[in-house]
Amino acid sequence: PEADAIAMIRLLLLQGYPLDARLPPADQTALHVAAEVGAVELTRYLLSQHADPTIRDAKGMTPFDVAKALGHTATAQLLRSAKVRR
């Protein structure tokens, strides 16, 4: 569940793990992964912690691009709004 993922991210951040670290092999950030699975609450939490929605993965896709391509409309709308605020 998303609540577990949020708790894990909180723990990692408390331990100094960089929020925008890229995960191999796709070079994705946690925000990309949240977008890939359509996790709205996790996406909202990551953005509240200042995750960068403009980072591109190994395929050149932003988290917004990923969410949109996979049909995760609510997550894509949230990420689109975040891009406008930055």
Side-chain angles (χ1 to χ4, degrees):
E2 287 187 65
D4 291 341
I6 291 169
M8 184 186 306
I9 296 289
R10 281 186 181 139
L11 179 62
L12 289 170
L13 293 176
L14 287 172
Q15 297 299 315
Y17 192 82
L19 181 62
D20 291 321
R22 294 168 182 255
L23 307 169
D27 216 20
Q28 292 181 317
T29 65
L31 197 54
H32 282 93
V33 175
E36 190 173 309
V37 298
V40 174
E41 293 307 316
L42 179 56
T43 299
R44 185 174 284 119
Y45 174 74
L46 290 166
L47 291 171
S48 78
Q49 298 303 302
H50 307 290
D52 185 348
T54 66
I55 293 176
R56 295 185 179 275
D57 65 13
K59 293 180 181 176
M61 297 178 75
T62 66
F64 169 77
D65 298 330
V66 171
K68 184 177 176 187
L70 294 172
H72 299 303
T73 307
T75 305
Q77 289 174 343
L78 184 59
L79 288 161
R80 183 177 330 152
S81 297
K83 286 175 27 177
V84 171
R85 286 195 308 262
R86 287 190 168 262

